[in-house]
Amino acid sequence: MRRELARNQLSRLVAWTGDDGPVPAAAGVVGVEFRGRLGHPSSYGLLMAHATDSRGVQFDIRSSPVALSVPCDEVAFGLTEPEYRAALSAAGLALGSGLVITGVGEGQAGSSVVVFTRLVAVLSVLLAVGSESVDDAELWATWDEPWRACGAPDPAAKGG
């Protein structure tokens, strides 16, 4: 299964299972890749995971020999930045169920805590209800409001 969701010329999400995405996904794993405006500090991220009964986020990341072509960026596979691990863990606390993250693709210039927090929210929705059950507008709303989609108050909101 592969599903591409283009918001506009500058932003798109690709969700996949199996060998249909930029990185092959093992059975039960769903991947999501975000590509945004070139040169923007929050323009790239790739996250792969499967659901688990344990609450929160767990990590079972294996290196991948796949090379991705991402204009204006260099992608590394694995979780190299400590703040990304912390952001993924924090975002996972707001989930009703859990995720086991099996793959991460970081853009050297274009990834950010924002991208990975939003990818956790989108991925949790896709794993909970399936890619075909979510329309484009609902998935982009999840991207735009990741903390609300996870059922938690937005930590950036005043008074919440």
Side-chain angles (χ1 to χ4, degrees), residues 46-48 59 61-62 75-80 84 88 101-106 116:
L46 182 146
L47 197 59
M48 300 167 65
F59 300 93
I61 298 172
R62 298 186 176 103
V75 175
F77 283 96
L79 197 50
T80 64
Y84 298 160
L88 291 167
I101 296 175
T102 61
V104 176
E106 298 175 4
F116 287 110

Side-chain angles (χ1 to χ4, degrees), residues 2-46:
R2 179 183 175 103
R3 182 170 175 200
E4 290 197 38
L5 299 101
R7 181 195 308 240
N8 53 43
Q9 295 175 356
L10 303 175
S11 298
R12 74 179 170 111
L13 290 167
V14 175
W16 76 93
T17 57
D19 293 336
D20 292 336
V23 177
V29 170
V30 174
V32 178
E33 180 188 46
F34 170 72
R35 292 191 185 201
R37 183 180 1 186
L38 296 177
H40 191 276
S42 292
S43 63
Y44 185 79
L46 182 146

Side-chain angles (χ1 to χ4, degrees), residues 98-131:
L99 297 176
V100 177
I101 296 175
T102 61
V104 176
E106 298 175 4
Q108 186 175 20
S111 288
S112 69
V113 167
V114 171
V115 168
F116 287 110
T117 300
R118 291 175 179 207
L119 284 172
V120 165
V122 169
L123 198 50
S124 68
V125 168
L126 292 175
L127 285 166
V129 300
S131 177

